[in-house]
Amino acid sequence: MEETKELVKTDQYGDITVFVSGDRKLRVFLTVHDIGQNHKSFHKFLLHEDMKAILSKFCIVQITVPGQEEGAETLPNDYKFPTMQEMGTEVIPQVLAALGCKTKDVVGLGVGAGANILCRYAMKTAYDVLGLCLLECSAESAGFLEWGQEKIASLQLNMKGMNPTSESYLIWHHYGNAKKDKLSEVRQFQDRLYTGFNRQNLARFVNRYMARTNFIDKLKTMKCRVLMVTGSRSAHMKDVERTYSAMDRQNSEILKLDGGDVMDDNPEKLAESMLFFLQGLGLVASVVSRKISRGSSFTGSFSQ
């Protein structure tokens, strides 16, 4: 996937690193990543054979949370790291406007913290967002157990750099109960944590996610369609179910797939589900599911 790196200057949060692929005259397909990740965490899925025809219809805009790009320098001590709310309501609108992309009928894909950010963006911009696919999304503030784990991980990152405590928390966050069956992927993730991230910047992102505010009672104000996705072995399945239960059922559905990291464990089913979701929005009508073209049927679990 050919992409152009852009540095977008914002009012209060400095330069935001963004990667853009495709014709900017097309509708935007926007991604926002989770803690312990950056835009590259989407690459394997976006490059999957089942996603190619879908994404050819969009301009792909991938926003990197400040300081999370590979080789990033340590953010200054006085840097105002954006909250989840500020990322969604201030940073994203400024980035899209600066890039000259279409800001109407945006489609978004977010994971974890990125999904939380996209929810806030959709509630702020109301009719600008057409649909969101949200993986492992929680609209609640961190529970006591999660808060404690994140707090310890953040403190250890600041004091020691990447370490076994912080590493274990991030592996649990991303792989849940499936980590024992994903040893190769977990090892690769561990390598990236130690070599690809600035520890202090990552700690600041974890801190902001830990301090996220609860907006579950506001979810029914969202105007766009939402596809909630979780894994059967995800650490966040119950959080996702509670968030979904607070949404307008006329505009939302939930998909449960096998595994812990659904983008990695079930890319074909996730891609097919996204295709059906987008076609329900009146988009990508000419794209045919590869499974259907081969005579196969979908086996996921949808609820409404």
Side-chain angles (χ1 to χ4, degrees):
M1 179 168 61
E2 294 186 7
E3 57 186 21
T4 301
K5 179 179 178 180
E6 303 269 358
L7 292 178
V8 177
K9 189 173 294 296
T10 59
D11 293 341
Q12 299 184 59
Y13 310 106
D15 291 340
I16 302 296
T17 302
V18 186
F19 295 86
V20 185
S21 307
D23 188 345
R24 299 191 189 194
K25 295 179 182 178
L26 296 175
R27 181 178 283 106
V28 167
F29 187 97
L30 176 67
T31 73
V32 188
H33 60 85
D34 200 359
I35 56 174
Q37 296 183 338
N38 53 39
H39 86 290
K40 289 187 175 181
S41 64
F42 291 102
H43 278 187
K44 184 178 178 181
F45 176 65
L46 297 183
L47 291 170
H48 192 277
E49 192 65 31
D50 290 335
M51 288 297 294
K52 289 181 179 178
I54 296 174
L55 294 179
S56 68
K57 310 296 183 181
F58 293 92
C59 173
I60 306 167
V61 176
Q62 299 188 268
I63 293 179
T64 304
V65 174
Q68 308 308 303
E69 60 271 20
E70 288 186 359
E73 295 183 0
T74 302
L75 295 167
N77 290 334
D78 61 352
Y79 175 74
K80 185 180 184 297
F81 200 99
T83 64
M84 298 294 99
Q85 183 72 10
E86 289 164 344
M87 278 294 303
T89 62
E90 297 179 35
V91 173
I92 290 179
Q94 289 183 48
V95 165
L96 294 181
L99 291 174
C101 297
K102 292 179 66 175
T103 56
K104 293 289 185 183
D105 296 340
V106 171
V107 172
L109 171 64
V111 182
N116 185 287
I117 289 167
L118 283 177
C119 271
R120 297 171 191 271
Y121 168 60
M123 289 190 293
K124 169 70 173 180
T125 56
Y127 296 100
D128 287 353
V129 180
L130 189 61
L132 296 178
C133 179
L134 304 175
L135 281 58
E136 311 302 349
C137 180
S138 173
E140 298 176 299
S141 54
F144 182 76
L145 178 60
E146 182 187 3
W147 180 89
Q149 291 173 322
E150 289 175 343
K151 187 68 175 177
I152 293 170
S154 175
L155 287 172
Q156 294 282 343
L157 277 170
N158 267 322
M159 292 188 297
K160 301 179 180 179
M162 187 53 63
N163 61 88
T165 300
S166 301
E167 172 193 315
S168 295
Y169 164 71
L170 289 166
I171 290 172
W172 168 84
H173 180 85
H174 288 291
Y175 295 97
N177 297 321
K179 61 184 179 182
K180 292 182 179 178
D181 301 325
K182 304 281 292 180
L183 295 180
S184 176
E185 290 84 353
V186 169
R187 279 196 294 269
Q188 293 175 22
F189 181 65
Q190 289 171 312
D191 290 342
R192 290 196 298 273
L193 288 176
Y194 280 92
T195 61
F197 287 92
N198 182 298
R199 64 179 178 87
Q200 292 169 307
N201 296 350
L202 176 55
R204 295 177 79 167
F205 187 17
V206 171
N207 273 331
R208 283 305 199 195
Y209 187 53
M210 176 181 67
R212 65 188 183 272
T213 55
N214 187 322
F215 59 90
I216 198 164
D217 59 336
K218 300 176 182 177
L219 287 172
K220 284 187 169 63
T221 66
M222 291 178 67
K223 306 297 182 184
C224 66
R225 293 280 301 174
V226 180
L227 173 61
M228 296 283 285
V229 185
T230 188
S232 61
R233 302 177 71 184
S234 165
H236 313 289
M237 185 174 66
K238 296 299 183 183
D239 299 327
V240 174
E241 290 174 341
R242 285 195 300 272
T243 298
Y244 168 68
S245 69
M247 290 181 166
D248 182 349
R249 297 299 176 86
Q250 298 299 313
N251 291 329
S252 61
E253 52 195 323
I254 188 169
L255 171 66
K256 298 177 184 178
L257 296 173
D258 291 338
D261 177 356
V262 295
M263 271 202 303
D264 190 58
D265 294 342
N266 271 297
E268 293 89 358
K269 289 181 181 178
L270 180 58
E272 186 174 38
S273 301
M274 285 199 66
L275 172 61
F276 295 154
F277 176 67
L278 293 172
Q279 289 179 335
L281 298 175
L283 307 177
V284 296
S286 62
V287 178
V288 178
S289 165
R290 290 204 311 148
K291 279 193 174 183
I292 290 178
S293 68
R294 294 194 301 264
S296 302
S297 60
F298 176 73
T299 58
S301 174
F302 276 108
S303 296
Q304 274 193 320

